[in-house]
Amino acid sequence: MLAALWDKRAVLVSGKGGVGKTTLSAALAVAAARSGRPVLLAELAPDEGGPSPLGALVGARDAGPKVTEVRPGLHFVRLAASEGHRSFLQDTLPLRWLAEAALRSRALRRFLEAGPALREMGLLYQMLTLVRRTRPDGRFEFPLSIIDLPATGHALAIASLPRTVLAVMPGGPIGRSVREGLDFLQDPARTAVLLTSLPEPLPVSEALALASELERLELPLAAAVLNRMPEDPFTPESRAALQRLLDAHGPHRGTRALARLERAHAAQARLAEGLRVPLLTLPELPVTGPELVERLADVFAPIPMGGTAREATP
C-alpha cells in the first residue's frame, strides 16, 4: 500500500498530537535507508529550542538546523526559521556578505522572528532549499525527504501560508519563492501527505477534519495509518460464544478490554469509510522508543533499490 510513497520527493507525516506520527516518521526514514534510498528526516517543530523527540528516536546527537548523518543513508535536520531566512537572503541579495550583515542586525532578526507569517516562510524556504540540494553530478542529495509536521493546528497554518502570502505579494523574490513552494506541496508526483490516527473516536474525528482541510488546500493526501490497533484474538464464532457466556454469567474483568476492542473496530470502520485513500492498520506493539522504530521499519520496508534512484524535478 505504501509502495507509491517511495517514489516521492517528500512525504509529509501529519496528525493529531499523541497519535504516533513522530515514531511513524522515524520508522519510514529508517526503512528507506535500509533499502538503499538516501533519505532526509526533517522535524518541523513549533518550538526550535529544547530536546528533539524525533532526533532521539533515530540517535541524532546534534538535533539542530544543520543536516547530520545518523546512519548510512539517513540524515537528520531540525528545520529552523532562522536558517530559512538566511538562505533566502543569501539567494536574493547580490553578495553573500550583505546577507550576513543583514542578519547581524538585531532589529531585523526581531522582525523576522515576530512578523506575521515570516517564521513559517523561513521554515518553508529551508525545507525547499534542502529538497532541491544537488550533488556535483547533478543528482539530488536527498531524493526522498520524510517531514514530521507539527500537531494539526500548526501544520494547517504552514500549509495555508503560501496562499496567504501570494495574496499580498504575488511577485518579487518572496512571491516567486512562495509560489515554488506551493507548486511543490500541491504536486502529487513529488509530494504525498500521510495522515496518522489512533483507533479512538476523538483522533478519528480530527483525522477526518484534517483530511477535509488538506483537500481544501489541494495537498495530496496519499494514505492514512491507523496506529496501535489492539489485537483481536477472536473469530466471529468465538466472539459470539464469549458474548453468550457474558450474557449468562454477568460482567467479567475482561469486559473493559472487549469494549475497547469494539471501539477500535468502530473507529477503524469510520475512518476507512470517511477517507478516499488506502488505510494501513498497525498493531499495538509491546515496545517503545527506538526499538519500536526498528520494529515498524520492518513493516514499512520497501523493495531494496537496485541501481540509481529515479530522479524527479526539484
Side-chain angles (χ1 to χ4, degrees):
M1 186 207 78
L2 298 178
L5 296 182
W6 305 118
D7 290 330
K8 307 298 183 184
R9 295 295 329 285
V11 175
L12 313 179
V13 184
S14 185
K16 175 182 168 65
V19 299
K21 64 180 180 59
T22 296
T23 300
L24 177 62
S25 301
L28 287 168
V30 169
R34 285 182 187 174
S35 71
R37 288 167 171 78
V39 59
L40 175 66
L41 177 61
E43 181 178 49
L44 206 164
D47 180 14
E48 297 171 12
S52 166
L54 181 60
L57 287 174
V58 295
R61 296 181 180 178
D62 183 12
K66 301 298 183 182
V67 177
T68 58
E69 186 175 30
V70 295
R71 66 172 69 186
L74 173 55
H75 290 74
F76 174 80
V77 66
R78 195 174 199 187
L79 298 177
S82 57
E83 285 298 308
H85 296 150
R86 183 185 305 277
S87 296
F88 177 78
L89 291 174
Q90 289 174 347
D91 290 345
T92 54
L93 294 178
L95 297 173
R96 186 183 183 92
W97 66 267
L98 286 176
E100 298 297 334
L103 287 171
R104 283 196 294 271
S105 166
R106 186 174 302 175
L108 177 61
R109 289 202 309 272
R110 283 202 298 265
F111 172 72
L112 291 174
E113 292 168 1
L118 291 178
R119 182 182 177 280
E120 287 79 8
M121 285 177 58
L123 293 170
L124 180 63
Y125 198 82
Q126 188 192 10
M127 182 185 76
L128 286 174
T129 299
L130 294 172
V131 165
R132 63 191 178 192
R133 184 187 291 181
T134 57
R135 302 171 181 169
D137 62 4
R139 292 187 299 155
F140 290 117
E141 186 170 351
F142 308 113
L144 172 66
S145 295
I146 307 291
I147 301 169
D148 180 26
L149 294 178
T152 301
H154 295 288
L156 290 178
I158 293 169
S160 303
L161 170 69
R163 292 174 180 270
T164 304
V165 175
L166 286 175
V168 179
M169 293 175 286
I174 292 179
R176 288 193 298 271
S177 298
V178 171
R179 192 174 301 279
E180 179 187 355
L182 182 61
D183 290 343
F184 181 83
L185 290 174
Q186 291 181 335
D187 183 2
R190 293 181 288 173
T191 301
V193 179
L194 187 63
L195 187 58
T196 314
S197 185
L198 291 178
E200 300 170 6
L202 183 58
V204 166
S205 295
E206 185 151 345
L208 292 173
L210 178 55
S212 297
E213 284 297 304
L214 292 170
E215 183 177 5
R216 181 182 65 82
L217 295 169
E218 300 180 46
L219 297 181
L221 178 61
V225 171
L226 191 62
N227 199 18
R228 304 177 202 159
M229 187 71 178
E231 181 185 3
D232 186 352
F234 301 106
T235 64
E237 294 76 14
S238 62
R239 181 68 178 86
L242 178 61
Q243 188 61 52
R244 288 194 296 271
L245 286 173
L246 291 174
D247 292 342
H249 300 286
H252 186 270
R253 63 183 179 181
T255 302
R256 184 174 298 178
L258 287 173
R260 176 175 178 255
L261 185 58
E262 291 174 355
R263 288 196 305 271
H265 281 302
Q268 182 184 32
R270 181 180 168 215
L271 191 60
E273 182 180 357
L275 296 176
R276 293 195 293 266
V277 296
L279 175 63
L280 174 67
T281 300
L282 296 177
E284 189 172 39
L285 298 174
V287 293
T288 59
E291 185 179 355
L292 178 57
V293 168
E294 299 295 332
R295 292 274 295 274
L296 290 177
D298 293 336
V299 177
F300 297 134
I303 298 173
M305 290 186 66
T308 304
R310 183 171 67 83
E311 297 291 2
T313 306

